[in-house]
Amino acid sequence: MAGENHVYKRVHGTGDSSNIPENQFIPAHAAFDEENDGLLPVSMQDVSRNPTMKPSSSNSLPAKDRKAFIVLVILYLLQGVPVGLAFGSIPFLLKAKLSYSQVGIFSLAAYPYSLKLLWSPIVDAIYSPKVGRRRSWIIPIQTISGLTLLYLGSVIDSYVSDPAQNLTTITFCFFLLVFFCATQDIAVDGWALTCLSPEALSFASTAQTIGINAGYFSSFTIFLALSSPDFANKYIRSTPIDEGLFSLGSYLNFWGWMYLIVTGVLLLIPEDPPHLAKLNQAKLEDEKARVEKCYNNSSSNWSALKNVYFSMYQVLKLPNVQTFVVILLFAKLGFQANEAATNLKLLEKGLSKEDLSITVLIDFPFEMIFGYYAGRWSNGKSPLKPWLFGFAGRLVAAAFAQLIVLYFPSDGKLTSSYFLLIIVQHLLSSFMSTIQFVSLCAFHTKIADPAIGGTYMTTLNTLSNYGGTWPRLIIYYLIDKFTYNECIVNEKSVDIAAGVTVEGFKEQCKTLGGEVLTLRDGYYYTNFICVTLGVVILLWVKRKATYLQSLPSSAWRVVRED
């Protein structure tokens, strides 16, 4: 076994990294936003570890790498399926019967993807040489994931029919699924750099973009549309019925079997393609020597592993890093209500799931274009300048969202002009989010200490992603806390027992034959508070960010340069 350092990359939609300067990390961007992590660990066998190696500038994939490329696409696709459910579809399904606070509890299921740095060194350090460094993790993790999906497929429909009673179980099951996907992601990213020949390495990010986008798109846009009775009756069926084309349970069962089938095929695929076996063995020996030299000539993998975690601690002790960490943890507060609850509120107001799917579908190609141009803009001497621009833009998008929800048609019928405004708001929020994501990663690349570059970058990226994760539970709680409803029966207000949830209040009111009248909608109050806090934070962050990006490289070093 050999220890391994980490570098983290982002995956651009184009997958083209031929224009990346030497000594820099490969930029990249996943289909989902930064709350879905965007951190993709790779081994030391990267461009950043060997400045003389450039990614291939060829526009065609070599024939000898096509099989490996297809395998990578399939593995990334499988990874994107549970992620699309956990980050996209399931919260929408739950909100129909749960309060915002309860949906906030389910948001805990997304945490593993934002914190996978904590165990990624273990995935790299421990493996069976007979099975292979990456297959040692991919095969068992995919098997467990497939079995978990099959189990969930058999019970999830009954769970979702009464989510309040089964919320803890649903959250725990999807927490495990996301944890398995995050672990698989670590292994597959490392495998991508050894199963492709050196001249085809730039296609690793292409495989990732295609695969994860396809999986996420399948579990979010396609699932929401095809599982909707209204969509199926309107566009597919000639005779309407009260069911979609498939249920959540049958969808999970299908992907559970796909996981197991692909895992069975992986048993027949060698860790290293024949034409790369000798090259990868030489890289492995070189890497082992580098790791031992880097970590005081230690021959112990466990000692190297301990040093990786100690390096994270050293990074966080730096005064400038501590200031930057505070920014990362609180900078996303301003637009959290918008990004956590606006779509849910629109669905609550009467927006159909199929209309929401269309907005996501339209948003998809623009994500690719935004990522490309954001990357070009962030390559200057002031990478945090576009980040500040994106910060202000996301606050504008959050304020715009408040107006869209406020003026939702009272009769529930969407005009084409109003629907266009929803699409524009989605695109604005997506564009600004992408600008921030790409420019922030560019800044991380600029300040990272080369001696521990992978650990340095992933520590900052993980904290940045966590800054968009921890407020969600609080946001959902505040929306419910600020909301005040009355139950009107025969034009009179009726008292409902105290202590029930918002959704419980509505159910009791309907049982009494009454109508729920919302006197105060907590979404507006929470979003207003968030945007106001965001403006205050922006004024403070602007001054701090300008100062931090002006500092010399030595100010960010764990060990000062001579």
Side-chain angles (χ1 to χ4, degrees), residues 129-272:
K130 293 183 179 179
V131 179
R133 186 174 203 167
R134 308 305 176 186
R135 291 167 78 248
S136 293
W137 286 91
I138 296 173
I139 290 174
I141 286 294
Q142 285 200 169
T143 301
I144 297 172
S145 298
L147 295 175
T148 304
L149 285 168
L150 289 175
Y151 166 74
L152 268 180
S154 65
V155 299
I156 194 66
D157 289 332
S158 61
Y159 286 171
V160 173
S161 65
D162 188 10
Q165 295 296 322
N166 302 291
L167 182 59
T168 301
T169 303
I170 295 172
T171 302
F172 178 73
C173 289
F174 276 94
F175 181 93
L176 286 180
L177 275 177
V178 175
F179 173 78
F180 297 148
C181 288
T183 305
Q184 181 202 22
D185 185 54
I186 297 167
V188 173
D189 284 329
W191 199 14
L193 295 169
T194 59
C195 70
L196 294 174
S197 57
E199 61 270 22
L201 280 180
S202 63
F203 287 92
S205 60
T206 305
Q208 184 189 57
T209 302
I210 294 172
I212 291 182
N213 284 355
Y216 191 86
F217 183 72
S218 169
S219 288
F220 188 23
T221 306
I222 294 179
F223 171 78
L224 284 181
L226 298 185
S227 64
S228 168
D230 293 336
F231 184 90
N233 293 336
K234 183 176 181 180
Y235 296 106
I236 300 177
R237 296 192 183 109
S238 56
T239 303
I241 61 175
D242 293 332
E243 296 179 355
L245 294 183
F246 48 74
S247 66
L248 178 58
S250 58
Y251 183 81
L252 293 179
N253 276 324
F254 170 79
W255 284 110
W257 285 113
M258 290 301 298
Y259 262 80
L260 296 179
I261 291 171
V262 171
T263 303
V265 174
L266 286 180
L267 294 173
L268 308 176
I269 299 176
E271 174 88 4
D272 296 320

Side-chain angles (χ1 to χ4, degrees), residues 479-493:
I479 291 175
D480 277 347
K481 193 68 175 176
F482 289 136
T483 297
Y484 181 74
N485 295 318
E486 268 193 352
C487 180
I488 306 298
V489 180
N490 297 327
E491 299 183 354
K492 294 182 179 180
S493 177

Side-chain angles (χ1 to χ4, degrees), residues 5-8 25 48 294 311 315 444-445 447-461:
N5 259 345
H6 286 56
V7 220
Y8 283 69
F25 294 86
S48 59
C294 183
S311 296
V315 169
H444 291 173
T445 301
I447 67 175
D449 188 340
I452 50 171
T455 301
Y456 205 116
M457 283 192 66
T458 52
T459 300
L460 295 178
N461 284 333

Side-chain angles (χ1 to χ4, degrees), residues 217-445:
F217 183 72
S218 169
S219 288
F220 188 23
T221 306
I222 294 179
F223 171 78
L224 284 181
L226 298 185
S227 64
S228 168
D230 293 336
F231 184 90
N233 293 336
K234 183 176 181 180
Y235 296 106
I236 300 177
R237 296 192 183 109
S238 56
T239 303
I241 61 175
D242 293 332
E243 296 179 355
L245 294 183
F246 48 74
S247 66
L248 178 58
S250 58
Y251 183 81
L252 293 179
N253 276 324
F254 170 79
W255 284 110
W257 285 113
M258 290 301 298
Y259 262 80
L260 296 179
I261 291 171
V262 171
T263 303
V265 174
L266 286 180
L267 294 173
L268 308 176
I269 299 176
E271 174 88 4
D272 296 320
H275 66 284
L276 293 176
K278 293 183 178 180
L279 174 63
N280 287 336
Q281 183 60 34
K283 286 182 178 180
L284 193 62
E285 294 299 325
D286 175 59
E287 180 181 313
K288 183 177 180 180
R290 284 171 52 82
V291 170
E292 292 176 1
K293 181 179 179 181
C294 183
Y295 294 126
N296 301 321
N297 296 317
S298 170
S299 59
S300 167
N301 290 295
W302 291 107
S303 179
L305 190 62
K306 181 179 69 175
N307 276 281
V308 171
Y309 289 111
F310 182 68
S311 296
M312 297 179 192
Y313 173 70
Q314 288 182 307
V315 169
L316 295 175
K317 285 178 60 180
L318 295 173
N320 293 319
V321 169
Q322 291 176 354
T323 301
F324 190 47
V325 165
V326 173
I327 293 175
L328 295 178
L329 290 178
F330 292 96
K332 297 176 184 177
L333 275 175
F335 24 85
Q336 282 302 299
N338 170 40
E339 297 178 3
T342 294
N343 285 338
L344 296 178
K345 179 58 66 173
L346 288 173
L347 288 174
E348 183 182 302
K349 288 276 189 177
L351 181 70
S352 65
K353 289 190 293 184
E354 54 268 28
D355 286 336
L356 177 63
S357 299
I358 291 173
T359 63
V360 177
L361 176 63
I362 294 173
D363 186 53
F364 179 73
F366 283 96
E367 275 283 334
M368 301 298 182
I369 299 172
F370 295 161
Y372 172 74
Y373 284 104
R376 295 187 62 180
W377 187 14
S378 303
N379 282 334
K381 295 181 180 180
S382 303
L384 288 182
K385 184 177 180 180
W387 181 80
L388 291 170
F389 177 83
F391 194 134
R394 288 173 87 173
L395 292 177
V396 172
F400 186 21
Q402 179 134 336
L403 295 176
I404 287 179
V405 174
L406 180 64
Y407 291 103
F408 192 92
S410 57
D411 58 2
K413 296 181 180 179
L414 270 65
T415 63
S416 56
S417 57
Y418 181 84
F419 188 60
L420 180 61
L421 289 177
I422 294 178
I423 294 174
V424 170
Q425 192 277 334
H426 271 256
L427 290 177
L428 176 62
S429 181
S430 176
F431 180 38
M432 296 303 170
S433 175
T434 302
I435 287 176
Q436 278 204 298
F437 179 72
V438 175
S439 61
L440 189 63
C441 287
F443 181 66
H444 291 173
T445 301

